[in-house]
Amino acid sequence: MQNWMALLPASKHEADDASAPTWRPLDVRPLGWWALQFTPRVAQLEEAVVLECHASERLFGGREALRGRLVKGAQAQGVAAWAFASNALAALCVARHHLTQGGTQADDADACPATHKAEPELNALPFTTLSALRPHAGTLARLGCRTLGDVSALPRGGLGRRFDAASLRALDQAYGRSPLPLSWLTLPAVFDERLELPGRVETAAALLHAARTLLQALCAWLAGQHAGVESFTLRWHHGLRRQEAHAGQHTVRLSNPTRDLDRLSQLLHEHLQRLTLAAPVEDISLRAEQIAPLVTHSHSLFPEQGGDQLTAHPDGLLTPAAQRAQKEALWTLLDRLSARLGPERVLAGQVHADHRLEHAQRWQAALHTPPGARDASADTRAGLSPWPQPSWLLPQPVPLTLLPDAQGQHEHPHYQGRLQWLAGPHRVEAGWWDNAQPDSACTRDYYLASSPGAGLLWVFRARHAGDTATPAWFLHGLFA
């Protein structure tokens, strides 16, 4: 048995509302893109989006669980009314009736109704919910018809002769007596949408209200792709009524892929506040430059105390959900700092496979990290030396003082006291292949030493020192 859902977007029926943004597009494609994350059988039927979700019920935990996700997500997308039925046109008629009754209530999201049976439900609906019968509303009213059941009870022969064939065909399709051909919606390969503004915008910060509409469409497209955006470009165009049009653009980069509308809007707001327009803007466009698959996390079997909320409690980060929330908060902070201070001033360390400690980590802009660099860093750490590494590496090795022992025969390194060897030597011979930096070649023996005043130290002895006056022992790092 098929299970159809019809979605009526609010923009189709609230465009005349003075409180709604005048640039809100009357386009149902973003709503269809969002629905593609649940089922590939999504189509546009007149002013609504319809989807068949029976085949996807098992993938989302059953019919009730899938309907709950659809309803809550549809409300977040600004849907004015929704309905379930056994076929697409019947679901659209029921949704239109809900809209005339004030729309679907928010409380209905928690109690998903069973699929409406086509015939009993349709019989009670006004016949105006079927758009093919609206041109004949006056004639049907004079015949005493008020509902679809009244129209369906009329003799088919007389109904076919008095009205056109499209009306009778639509009536049969609504009751499921004949098939309804639909053209399935597909995602565009690249997101690049343009929006014309109703008036000229003078400041960059004022573009955010219109850009949020494009961001919402972008998030819907990303949901259908099961992906998140890593960078996007906002373009604005000046003087479309002049002979020569001018344009500007700004690219926004993120520290990790996301499709969170609020986060994208806040980050774009930070960038727009620091831009100055050369001339008034008449239309804008948004293009997704880089996207990446977005990993979804499974819910815990048992309820987690605190959920995904960040708290100051010592055990507040023990749950996986809280740890993910901490990472999201850190990435959001990196995005905001990069927008305010500049990407070149917010750096992130990347581990590299090099036995020389001073070359084992490189700093680069956090937002310019190459794709997959974080995963590569994790793989690189597995190939590093198993020897202990100091937590504090000195900018330059510090020469150690050599003092003779009690017998005066041998000199021993000192740093806030005589050093005691705990481990070593660990020999490192590297850098000889680096032609760009010939001085980076090193041949050293590293030791883990203990100092009476400084604690654990990481020291090395330079091998093959040609000049006997050159210090041979150096302090390179300290352990916390």
Side-chain angles (χ1 to χ4, degrees):
M1 178 181 178
Q2 292 184 335
N3 179 19
W4 287 87
M5 183 182 187
L7 304 172
L8 286 175
S11 57
K12 278 293 181 182
H13 305 277
E14 297 178 2
D16 297 332
D17 187 2
S19 62
T22 55
W23 49 65
R24 190 169 187 176
L26 303 181
D27 189 2
V28 300
R29 290 182 306 157
L31 183 59
W33 295 342
W34 167 84
L36 282 172
Q37 64 180 306
F38 301 100
T39 173
R41 304 188 67 183
V42 180
Q44 180 178 348
L45 182 59
E46 301 182 26
E47 80 276 20
V49 170
V50 294
L51 58 149
E52 202 286 312
C53 47
H54 176 70
S56 303
E57 291 176 355
R58 185 175 59 86
L59 301 177
F60 290 89
R63 172 173 296 187
E64 298 302 323
L66 176 57
R67 288 188 176 185
R69 292 186 60 174
L70 285 170
V71 170
K72 293 182 184 299
Q75 289 179 339
Q77 294 295 319
V79 171
W82 54 267
F84 292 96
S86 58
N87 64 77
L89 192 53
L92 176 57
C93 293
V94 177
R96 285 170 174 167
H97 180 63
H98 287 172
L99 189 64
T100 60
Q101 301 299 318
T104 306
Q105 300 298 322
D107 296 339
D108 297 339
D110 299 329
C112 299
T115 301
H116 292 285
K117 295 182 179 179
E119 187 168 351
E121 181 72 16
L122 289 176
N123 287 338
L125 295 180
F127 67 81
T128 53
T129 56
L130 190 61
S131 57
L133 298 179
R134 291 175 184 173
H136 313 290
T139 303
L140 291 173
R142 287 190 293 270
L143 291 175
C145 296
R146 297 292 183 269
T147 64
L148 289 176
D150 297 337
V151 179
S152 181
L154 295 175
R156 291 183 59 85
L159 187 63
R161 289 190 301 269
R162 182 178 292 270
F163 305 117
D164 54 1
S167 300
L168 188 58
R169 182 171 59 252
L171 192 64
D172 291 338
Q173 290 171 346
Y175 279 89
R177 293 192 286 260
S178 62
L180 175 65
L182 294 172
S183 178
W184 302 122
L185 185 66
T186 57
L187 284 172
V190 178
F191 181 88
D192 193 351
E193 295 293 316
R194 191 166 181 168
L195 179 62
E196 184 175 354
L197 305 180
R200 307 175 74 181
V201 177
E202 303 286 342
T203 62
L207 293 177
L208 180 64
H209 301 288
R212 185 177 173 88
T213 300
L214 293 178
L215 287 176
Q216 187 173 11
L218 171 63
C219 293
W221 179 80
L222 291 170
Q225 295 275 13
H226 297 278
V229 64
E230 291 182 327
S231 64
F232 61 90
T233 299
L234 179 68
R235 298 185 179 91
W236 51 88
H237 307 271
H238 309 289
L240 294 180
R241 298 183 181 91
R242 304 173 187 173
Q243 293 182 352
E244 296 183 0
H246 302 278
Q249 66 179 24
H250 183 75
T251 300
V252 178
R253 302 183 185 276
L254 293 95
S255 55
N256 73 308
T258 184
R259 58 171 179 260
D260 186 353
L261 176 61
D262 293 334
R263 177 182 171 187
L264 294 176
S265 299
Q266 294 173 2
L267 181 59
L268 182 59
H269 176 67
E270 294 285 351
H271 284 263
L272 291 179
Q273 283 185 326
R274 289 156 181 81
L275 296 178
T276 302
L277 299 178
V281 176
E282 296 189 354
D283 72 292
I284 60 175
S285 61
L286 188 70
R287 177 183 176 88
E289 301 292 347
Q290 293 180 342
I291 64 174
L294 196 61
V295 179
T296 57
H297 302 279
S298 301
H299 295 287
S300 176
L301 177 62
F302 302 101
E304 297 179 352
Q305 184 178 3
D308 58 354
Q309 302 296 324
L310 292 178
T311 64
H313 193 272
D315 299 335
L317 296 178
L318 294 181
T319 63
Q323 294 173 4
R324 291 192 297 268
Q326 185 193 41
K327 292 181 180 180
E328 289 289 342
L330 175 60
W331 289 329
T332 302
L333 177 62
L334 290 178
D335 294 337
R336 288 188 177 184
L337 290 178
S338 299
R340 296 178 181 181
L341 305 179
E344 70 282 353
R345 297 182 179 179
V346 182
L347 306 180
Q350 294 296 326
V351 179
H352 291 264
D354 198 315
H355 292 285
R356 298 168 295 176
L357 292 183
E358 59 270 27
H359 297 279
Q361 177 176 278
R362 300 176 185 176
W363 292 90
Q364 56 188 3
L367 299 186
H368 296 166
T369 303
R374 298 182 182 88
D375 298 335
S377 297
D379 297 338
T380 303
R381 284 192 294 269
L384 294 179
S385 171
W387 283 77
Q389 305 290 336
S391 55
W392 189 312
L393 189 67
L394 301 181
Q396 295 293 334
V398 176
L400 295 177
T401 303
L402 298 179
L403 299 178
D405 54 12
Q407 291 77 18
Q409 298 179 355
H410 303 282
E411 293 182 336
H412 198 86
H414 283 66
Y415 184 82
Q416 298 184 16
R418 180 186 173 95
L419 299 184
Q420 300 292 330
W421 307 127
L422 302 180
H426 171 55
R427 181 161 299 178
V428 174
E429 295 185 9
W432 48 269
W433 59 82
D434 195 350
N435 296 325
Q437 298 179 352
D439 297 338
S440 62
C442 68
T443 304
R444 304 169 179 171
D445 288 337
Y446 277 92
Y447 294 84
L448 178 63
S450 175
S451 169
L456 294 179
L457 306 177
W458 190 241
V459 302
F460 70 85
R461 180 174 65 88
R463 300 176 61 244
H464 308 300
D467 187 3
T468 57
T470 302
W473 290 91
F474 296 86
L475 171 64
H476 204 184
L478 299 89
F479 290 86

